[in-house]
Amino acid sequence: MLPDQFQMTVDNKVFKRGRFVDASHASGTSPKQRLSFFDDVRARISGHAHMDDAFKASLTDRLKTLSQSSLNILVVGSQGVGKTATLTQLFGQHEWDHDAIQSSSLLIRHELNQLTCWEGLLPSESEKPEQTDCEISALLSETAANGLPLVDLVLVVLDSSSANIDNAYVDIQKTLIAKLGEHAEQRLVVLMNKVDKVAQCIRGEYVEDMMPLDAEVWLDCTSAAIRFHLRENVGIHITPLLYSAVAVQKGEAVRSYNLIKLMARLMVALPPEKRLMLLNQPLSQGDETWRYHDERKIYMQSIENLCFDALHKGARDGDRFGGQLGAFLGRHGRALGDIVSDGLRKQFGTSV
């Protein structure tokens, strides 16, 4: 006899339609099928004067292999924490107003370039908790053709300014950890959004500085508490990422904060063969989206390294020499490093 929650009728077709065809069979005429980042890198490689034909051919074959993968990401959280805002700030050139696929499912599905984003409430926040729990369970139990889990990443979005945010580990533990199984630590990313509102919540008045010292200390302590509870209760080691999808000052949205750190974290969490597919999306453009971060690390450099390593088999940490991407591998490495750096600047629309 199955537990009650598994006796509920669920629209499984909404998950089945999330599967993708091989990219090589796509027509290429639809804007959603255009592999912009891959095409740009491929064109740069083809026209480069300082690469041997054999090296160009190996890179082209590698690009073809990487472009045939697909991504599935589940984004969950309470109402109003910024799930949609996070997706729209990451992939700002996607037509979000018209893409949601209607069905009887409580999970909303968005289709991008071989990327499916699933968005939904945590069961404890849903008006239909049993159905929501059942649908999340069904989605996370789906497997791809290679037998691996269909969903590559699960993002839990929290509101940093919430008074009870440190209780979030209870929802994560009860709702997601058991469903993710042995791969929970690799597939789960915990996000703390709206860090720009923390200082105001602490002081009870408007604060012009986005991240004053007291807000930074409070956030670090809260993040440490969540990390401790997850480690002690379920044995997984996850450090929440602090960011603001849309930072607000004087009632107006001004910019994003730590979004480039979020992109770097997602790339690290993804399987190596799928990392570049995250870059092959209609990303938001401009310095206002990607430039502002906590400066604890050069996150664009981390993305460059991951991208270079994915393209050049055997490379490690970008094989930098004197700070130059790929320089340790000679002229071919330097040439590929320049292609990656220029391609990423174009894809993110950044000036530096």
Side-chain angles (χ1 to χ4, degrees):
M1 186 72 176
L2 290 173
D4 292 341
Q5 64 266 33
F6 294 107
Q7 296 185 26
M8 186 177 301
T9 301
V10 177
D11 181 12
N12 285 319
K13 291 182 180 179
V14 71
F15 307 131
K16 300 296 185 181
R17 287 197 298 269
R19 296 182 182 274
F20 295 93
V21 296
D22 191 303
S24 61
H25 298 300
S27 65
T29 59
S30 168
K32 286 191 176 184
Q33 296 295 332
R34 179 176 176 268
L35 302 180
S36 57
F37 180 69
F38 289 136
D39 286 346
D40 179 66
V41 172
R42 187 180 293 110
R44 292 173 187 270
I45 291 171
S46 177
H48 205 286
H50 302 293
M51 283 184 176
D52 295 341
D53 289 341
F55 187 64
K56 289 182 179 181
S58 67
L59 292 177
T60 301
D61 289 342
R62 181 64 176 159
L63 277 170
K64 181 178 179 181
T65 299
L66 295 174
S67 67
Q68 291 176 354
S69 63
S70 61
L71 289 178
N72 286 268
I73 297 176
L74 171 62
V75 184
V76 294
S78 302
Q79 187 74 36
V81 297
K83 301 183 296 296
T84 301
T86 298
L87 291 174
T88 54
Q89 285 301 107
L90 285 172
F91 311 113
Q93 295 193 76
H94 179 65
E95 296 182 3
W96 292 98
D97 293 339
H98 306 97
D99 87 314
I101 297 174
Q102 301 299 320
S103 73
S104 59
S105 172
L106 296 177
L107 298 179
I108 301 173
R109 193 171 90 248
H110 308 281
E111 299 283 3
L112 284 76
N113 291 341
Q114 293 169 256
L115 165 62
T116 300
C117 292
W118 308 86
E119 182 184 349
L121 295 172
L122 289 166
S124 62
E125 301 289 334
S126 174
E127 293 181 356
K128 300 178 180 180
E130 291 186 354
Q131 182 179 346
T132 302
D133 184 75
C134 190
E135 289 185 8
I136 292 176
S137 296
L139 179 59
L140 294 180
S141 66
E142 279 281 303
T143 55
N146 58 7
L148 296 175
L150 178 69
V151 175
D152 299 289
L153 290 179
V154 177
L155 313 184
V156 182
V157 183
L158 310 175
D159 183 349
S160 298
S161 61
S162 172
N164 62 347
I165 185 175
D166 53 347
N167 292 326
Y169 75 92
V170 177
D171 275 333
I172 296 172
Q173 177 182 338
K174 291 183 176 179
T175 304
L176 298 172
I177 299 297
K179 295 176 175 57
L180 288 168
E182 60 180 338
H183 303 292
E185 191 169 321
Q186 291 74 31
R187 297 166 63 199
L188 182 64
V189 180
V190 179
L191 307 176
M192 292 173 59
N193 190 19
K194 302 184 181 182
V195 298
D196 58 297
K197 296 184 177 181
V198 170
Q200 184 173 346
C201 291
I202 293 175
R203 301 183 186 183
E205 59 184 8
Y206 172 74
V207 180
E208 186 172 351
D209 189 1
M210 181 186 297
M211 194 65 67
L213 181 59
D214 53 352
E216 188 172 348
V217 171
W218 188 91
L219 285 165
D220 285 343
C221 291
T222 304
S223 173
I226 295 174
R227 186 172 67 247
F228 172 80
H229 286 303
L230 290 176
R231 186 186 69 230
E232 290 299 306
N233 294 331
V234 291
I236 63 173
H237 299 261
I238 293 178
T239 300
L241 185 141
L242 313 176
Y243 76 110
S244 282
V246 182
V248 178
Q249 289 185 336
K250 296 183 179 179
E252 295 185 4
V254 290
R255 62 178 184 265
S256 300
Y257 175 74
N258 259 358
L259 212 62
I260 191 68
K261 182 177 183 177
L262 172 54
M263 179 63 75
R265 172 73 69 85
L266 296 182
M267 288 189 66
V268 169
L270 283 169
E273 297 293 311
K274 295 190 174 188
R275 287 170 178 166
L276 292 199
M277 189 56 70
L278 191 64
L279 299 173
N280 194 55
Q281 305 302 324
L283 301 179
S284 295
Q285 297 278 297
D287 292 332
E288 291 298 309
T289 301
W290 303 108
R291 175 180 290 179
Y292 300 97
H293 56 84
D294 58 20
E295 298 183 354
R296 296 182 179 181
K297 193 175 183 180
I298 306 176
Y299 299 110
M300 182 57 78
Q301 187 176 98
S302 300
I303 293 174
E304 288 178 349
N305 292 349
L306 291 168
C307 187
F308 185 91
D309 294 352
L311 289 170
H312 196 300
K313 283 192 171 183
R316 182 176 179 181
D317 296 330
D319 276 314
R320 293 177 180 268
F321 185 78
Q324 184 178 1
L325 184 63
F328 190 75
L329 300 178
R331 64 183 179 92
H332 281 157
R334 288 193 298 271
L336 180 59
D338 290 341
I339 288 173
V340 167
S341 296
D342 292 343
L344 288 174
R345 278 200 299 270
K346 179 181 178 181
Q347 190 69 355
F348 285 96
T350 52
S351 57
V352 292

